[in-house]
C-alpha cells in the first residue's frame, strides 16, 4: 500500500494493491515525478490466463501528481 499524508500526518489519500496470495515488494524507486514499485506475486493478475504458473513479476508506476 501507499499513503499520502499532509503536514499534520493526516491521511489524504491511500492506495492498496495486492492479490489473494503472497505478494512481495523487492524494489522501490522514487524520481522527481514518479514512484516505481517492483516485486513478485504468487496470486493472479486480472488479465492473466495462466493462474497456476508460480510467481509472476510486477512493476507498478505511480505518478506523484495523480496520487
Amino acid at each position: 500500500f501507499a499513503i499520502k499524508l499532509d503536514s499534520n500526518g493526516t491521511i489524504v489519500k491511500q492506495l492498496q494493491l495486492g492479490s489473494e496470495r503472497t505478494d512481495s515488494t523487492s524494489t522501490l524507486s522514487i524520481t522527481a515525478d514518479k514512484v516505481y514499485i517492483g516485486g513478485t506475486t504468487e496470486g493472479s493478475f486480472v488479465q492473466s490466463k495462466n493462474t497456476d504458473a508460480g510467481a509472476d513479476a510486477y512493476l507498478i508506476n505511480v505518478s506523484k501528481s495523480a496520487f
Side-chain angles (χ1 to χ4, degrees), residues 18-20 41 43-51 56:
S19 72
E20 73 286 358
T41 180
S44 59
F45 292 115
V46 173
Q47 298 172 340
S48 177
K49 298 193 186 299
N50 186 0
T51 60
D56 292 312

Side-chain angles (χ1 to χ4, degrees), residues 15-34:
L15 171 68
Q16 182 174 349
L17 301 168
S19 72
E20 73 286 358
R21 301 200 49 204
T22 302
D23 303 314
S24 299
T25 297
S26 58
T27 302
L28 176 66
S29 179
I30 302 171
T31 67
D33 61 343
K34 296 185 183 194

